[in-house]
Amino acid sequence: MERPRDRAASVAVLTAIPMVGQLIASRAIRDTVFLTEFSAALLPRVMLGSAALSLLAAWAVARVMPRWGPRATAVVLAMVNAVIFAAEAALFERFASGVAVALYLHVSVVGALVISAFSSVVNERFDPMHAKAVVAHAGTGGALGGVLGGALALFVVDAIPMTAVLYGLSATSALMANGMWRIGPSTQPDHHAEDPRSGFSLIRDDRYLRNIATTIVLLGAAGVLADYAMKAEADLRFVDSTGLLSFFSIFYTATALLTFLIQAGAAKPLLARVGLGGTMAVLPLSLAVFAGVGAVWTHLVTAVLARGSQTVISSSLFRSGYELLYTPIPPTKKRATKALIDIACNRTGYGIGSLVVMALVALTPTLDMATTSVLIVATVVALASAWMVWRLHDGYIKALASSLHDGSVVLQSDDVFDATTLHTLARSATTMDRYTLLQSIEEHERLQGASVDDTYRQRTTTQLDGLLSDDPARVLAALVDPDLDVSLAAQVVRLLATDLYAQPAYGALEAMGSRVTGQLVDAMLAEETPEVIRRRIPRLLRKTQDPRAAQGLVTGLADEAFEVRYRCGHALASLRRDDPSRVSVSRAEVMSVIAAELASNEDVWRRRMSDDGDLGDLHSEIDALLAKRQDRNLQHVFTLLSLTLDREAIVLSLRALSSDDDNLRGTALEYLHNVLPEEVRTSLWPRLTAHADRTRTVASPKPPEELLESMQSLMLDRDRLES
């Protein structure tokens, strides 16, 4: 049975086909009708007019979308589009010139708004991880629709009256409205009150949004410069509407076909290999190259290459990466700003580009020289755009982390991974020879130049006798003695192996402070030290200010015993949380340790027991133990990741993976996909998805307030849990 999410994804792809097809066909018709009625010299004016109208329209959409939501807004825009096309069809025969201007403005303004609203519907209907796949598939469907729309303009429009074509575009808009409604409402949890600030204020105050907006302004300006260059050259070469329509139809069909091929074959692999920044940077870099060639040799061919590369890549590679930039942004902020950035900022770039074109046309003696100058400016602007695009990838990762910080992750009762669940500790009755220890004390004092008086000797001997006693009361009395001598630290460390004495031994060693750091590190790393002692020492090391503690914990990450590695990782994470300057470990070192950890536990992750007659119950028990071990190993890996990545985002990501909320799991997976190095991600990814599938099946909803109280109680009681 098809799940609602899969059904919604299919509807999104099917809606994208007629939507982009209509856009491509309407652009070819728009350009043909306008250049048939007017000279190319008037293009900058109508471009400037469309930019001004787009600003007003985008402002209006930004005001209503937070209240209506993206789905209702998109449906209304599609129906408005249908009504305007129908009105233009009714008036075309009588007012061809007026309709030519109206059609240019309408297609430039409303068509772009519909595309933006549709992307918002898809963006909020799916979690970030699934949104990536849906956007790619919808882009492929849209590219196919673009091919069909271009073919329609090339082969059908010439044989059908323009009035009938406009009515057909109107009907297509109504079909799109139905599809957008059927995609479904937003599934993203909205824990944010509506921000009273305007969309412009939100963009101004948010650095990430400002960078996106600036990039879109620059790309809009570069696009209009390339667009003018191509249309000016086409207007010089073709003298009638038939030639113009054929040219624009072929151009839009060819670019749509190339868009389809690139979207289907290159967008997803490129996103996976080079990320959002690298994928989106292809647009400005290619435009800079072809515009530069056109500036050197100004011709219709070079102008077509510049405009064509901009059209193809912006609708395929750039769009696939660009839409994902919005996935980590909270819904209320996204709704108030996305239309402004998509449309208002884009059209602001159009307006700036149009003013530049008008100035160049006025200042240069011929249109050919003006076109050359336009292409020179386009090259410079494209290079500036490339620089901005490279900055967006880091901003995207930080925004993803912020979406995990801001409360959008709702914890379930089984989502919580506590600090540790301890095994039953083995008792140890190891002792040290009393005579040897006394000799060590005397030797230590001699080297320090201390005078050993009878009082000191008597006190130390009494403390030692207590620590070595078989009487628990005497041992405990020695451990809680505030004057316990530091030279007895080695025997106190031995007492960590016994449950009865572990807690007071912790207190005694903690009171000795950094004076015993070296002994603690040596005991923890020594193979002959019982493991129960070695795994309890990291708790002490994380509380000392001695830099040797952090160095010893880093070394302990390579210990053969998993419990020692596990505790060292948690201790380092605690040190880094309290004082990051105390933990000096590079990202490369941490990733190397993680890779070794994953490799050393490969057999545990892959081990599976099959049912075999009466042993079925035993196998189930073994599987349960393996699953528990896998979860602890995964916790350890995430703890190591928190040493070099955003700690809170890493912790929340692990919890979100166990949630029964698809959006939360998708957000976590998308964040991890972007921050993990490829070699770590490749090995870890199957385990993340297996962990999410296994744990979410037993998740039970719990009120957020109760969960938060439980988490606070857990964190306050961590010392007890680790003892």
Side-chain angles (χ1 to χ4, degrees):
M1 182 177 179
E2 188 180 29
R3 294 191 300 172
R5 186 180 66 194
D6 297 332
R7 185 166 54 251
S10 299
V11 173
V13 174
L14 292 175
T15 303
I17 294 174
M19 181 179 65
V20 179
Q22 183 213 59
L23 183 66
I24 294 299
S26 63
R27 283 177 176 174
I29 294 168
R30 171 200 69 182
D31 295 341
T32 298
V33 171
F34 185 85
L35 290 177
T36 299
E37 297 294 328
F38 302 100
S39 166
L42 296 178
L43 271 174
R45 299 182 186 180
V46 73
M47 288 177 174
L48 186 60
S50 69
L53 286 176
S54 294
L55 288 174
L56 293 175
W59 175 83
V61 170
R63 298 291 294 177
V64 302
M65 187 173 284
R67 301 169 187 167
W68 295 1
R71 182 167 70 150
T73 305
V75 170
V76 169
L77 286 171
M79 292 308 299
V80 168
N81 201 34
V83 170
I84 296 176
F85 271 126
E88 290 165 346
L91 298 173
F92 182 76
E93 295 294 339
R94 297 178 59 188
F95 306 101
S97 297
V99 169
V101 176
L103 183 64
Y104 197 101
L105 297 175
H106 155 222
V107 171
S108 300
V109 176
V110 182
L113 283 172
V114 171
I115 295 288
S116 176
F118 170 78
S119 67
S120 293
V121 173
V122 172
N123 200 278
E124 291 196 22
R125 176 62 179 84
F126 305 97
D127 64 80
M129 196 65 188
H130 288 96
K132 180 181 290 186
V134 176
V135 167
H137 292 154
T140 303
L144 176 60
V147 175
L148 297 176
L152 175 69
L154 179 60
F155 298 110
V156 179
V157 171
D158 195 37
I160 300 176
M162 186 61 66
T163 299
V165 172
L166 293 174
Y167 277 125
L169 295 175
S170 176
T172 305
S173 288
L175 178 65
M176 290 155 42
N178 177 65
M180 291 176 186
W181 183 259
R182 289 170 61 85
I183 291 173
S186 171
T187 60
Q188 293 189 8
D190 189 357
H191 301 290
H192 306 265
E194 184 172 340
D195 200 310
R197 294 174 294 173
S198 67
F200 290 108
S201 298
L202 290 170
I203 295 171
R204 180 197 62 203
D205 298 338
D206 189 300
R207 181 179 181 181
Y208 179 57
L209 290 173
R210 283 202 313 273
N211 285 342
I212 297 176
T214 302
T215 303
I216 295 305
V217 170
L218 291 172
L219 288 174
V224 79
L225 293 168
D227 188 48
Y228 170 82
M230 183 192 74
K231 291 175 181 177
E233 289 296 309
D235 191 47
L236 290 174
R237 301 308 188 274
F238 302 102
V239 295
D240 57 11
S241 61
T242 302
L244 283 170
L245 181 58
S246 297
F247 167 76
F248 286 121
S249 298
I250 293 172
F251 173 79
Y252 286 117
T253 302
T255 54
L257 178 60
L258 288 173
T259 299
F260 172 75
L261 294 176
I262 293 177
Q263 182 68 31
K268 189 174 181 180
L270 199 61
L271 276 172
R273 183 173 294 274
V274 302
L276 272 69
T279 302
M280 292 188 297
V282 176
L283 170 60
L285 291 176
S286 61
L287 177 56
V289 170
F290 289 117
V293 172
V296 175
W297 180 50
T298 305
H299 191 273
L300 178 60
V301 173
T302 56
V304 167
L305 287 174
R307 176 57 172 162
S309 65
Q310 190 269 339
T311 301
V312 170
I313 299 174
S314 65
S315 301
S316 56
L317 300 181
F318 183 82
R319 177 61 60 180
S320 295
Y322 172 73
E323 292 301 333
L324 299 176
L325 294 176
Y326 290 95
T327 53
I329 299 175
T332 51
K333 183 181 288 188
K334 186 188 315 181
R335 294 172 184 176
T337 59
K338 190 173 187 299
L340 289 176
I341 296 176
D342 284 2
I343 308 303
C345 292
N346 179 266
R347 298 306 170 179
T348 297
Y350 268 43
I352 294 172
S354 299
L355 290 173
V356 171
V357 172
M358 292 173 64
L360 292 174
V361 170
L363 294 174
T364 52
T366 65
L367 286 178
D368 281 342
M369 292 181 63
T371 303
T372 300
S373 301
V374 165
L375 289 171
I376 292 173
V377 176
T379 303
V380 175
V381 176
L383 291 174
S385 304
W387 179 75
M388 285 299 303
V389 166
W390 279 111
R391 301 179 58 188
L392 289 178
H393 184 73
D394 288 342
Y396 171 69
I397 295 175
K398 292 177 182 177
L400 272 176
S402 177
S403 73
L404 293 169
H405 289 180
D406 63 9
S408 60
V409 174
V410 181
L411 302 178
Q412 308 295 336
S413 58
D414 290 330
D415 292 341
V416 177
F417 292 85
D418 56 39
T420 185
T421 304
L422 297 175
H423 297 293
T424 303
L425 299 177
R427 290 179 176 270
S428 174
T430 56
T431 60
M432 181 180 292
D433 179 73
R434 181 174 182 271
Y435 177 76
T436 302
L437 184 59
L438 284 174
Q439 281 189 324
S440 299
I441 293 173
E442 293 176 359
E443 178 67 14
H444 171 73
E445 292 168 344
R446 185 183 63 78
L447 293 175
Q448 296 297 321
S451 61
V452 183
D453 55 37
D454 292 339
T455 302
Y456 175 79
R457 182 186 296 276
Q458 180 63 39
R459 185 179 74 245
T460 306
T461 302
T462 302
Q463 292 173 346
L464 177 60
D465 286 340
L467 294 174
L468 297 177
S469 172
D470 292 331
D471 182 359
R474 292 185 62 193
V475 176
L476 292 173
L479 288 174
V480 299
D481 186 347
D483 296 323
L484 183 62
D485 196 83
V486 69
S487 62
L488 302 176
Q491 179 57 28
V492 178
V493 169
R494 297 281 181 173
L495 293 175
L496 288 173
T498 306
D499 290 349
L500 178 62
Y501 307 136
Q503 199 62 37
Y506 274 136
L509 292 169
E510 187 175 350
M512 295 177 185
S514 59
R515 292 174 295 173
V516 297
T517 300
Q519 295 183 63
L520 291 175
V521 171
D522 290 342
M524 182 186 71
L525 299 179
E527 294 183 2
E528 59 270 19
T529 304
E531 184 180 327
V532 64
I533 296 176
R534 297 202 295 130
R535 70 187 186 209
R536 284 179 166 176
I537 290 177
R539 174 185 169 183
L540 288 162
L541 293 177
R542 78 184 188 190
K543 296 181 179 181
T544 179
Q545 298 295 322
D546 194 323
R548 292 176 296 172
Q551 296 170 3
L553 291 170
V554 172
T555 304
L557 295 177
D559 197 275
E560 290 186 1
F562 172 77
E563 284 297 324
V564 176
R565 302 196 303 270
Y566 183 84
R567 302 298 182 87
C568 286
H570 275 277
L572 282 170
S574 178
L575 284 174
R576 184 179 183 275
R577 179 192 63 213
D578 297 338
D579 185 3
S581 64
R582 293 169 61 190
V583 179
S584 178
V585 56
S586 69
R587 179 186 178 93
E589 289 178 300
V590 171
M591 294 306 168
S592 176
V593 170
I594 292 174
E597 185 69 37
L598 294 173
S600 67
N601 287 275
E602 191 69 26
D603 57 331
V604 176
W605 287 97
R606 295 183 177 276
R607 182 178 176 187
R608 290 292 183 269
M609 300 291 290
S610 59
D611 291 340
D612 184 13
D614 296 335
L615 296 179
D617 292 339
L618 176 60
H619 290 158
S620 298
E621 183 176 348
I622 292 174
D623 284 342
L625 292 173
L626 285 173
K628 183 179 293 186
R629 173 62 185 276
Q630 291 174 12
D631 286 344
R632 284 175 59 75
N633 185 268
L634 191 62
Q635 292 176 51
H636 179 50
V637 169
F638 270 67
T639 300
L640 295 176
L641 289 172
S642 72
L643 296 178
T644 56
L645 302 175
D646 187 316
R647 176 185 177 276
E648 188 175 358
I650 288 295
V651 172
L652 291 177
S653 294
L654 182 57
R655 294 171 182 167
L657 289 175
S658 303
S659 170
D660 59 356
D661 187 315
D662 288 340
N663 185 67
L664 301 183
R665 290 196 305 277
T667 300
L669 288 171
E670 172 66 2
Y671 174 74
L672 294 171
H673 187 273
N674 279 275
V675 299
L676 295 179
E678 183 176 358
E679 61 275 11
V680 173
R681 184 176 66 242
T682 300
S683 179
L684 187 59
W685 208 251
R687 308 174 192 187
L688 292 179
T689 54
H691 171 83
D693 290 341
R694 181 177 66 256
T695 54
R696 74 168 181 264
T697 59
V698 297
S700 57
K702 197 174 184 183
E705 294 81 9
E706 185 178 350
L707 285 168
L708 291 174
E709 291 174 1
S710 299
M711 283 301 300
Q712 291 169 355
S713 174
L714 173 65
M715 300 308 293
L716 290 173
D717 209 22
R718 174 176 286 182
D719 285 344
R720 180 181 63 80
L721 289 170
E722 289 188 349
S723 64

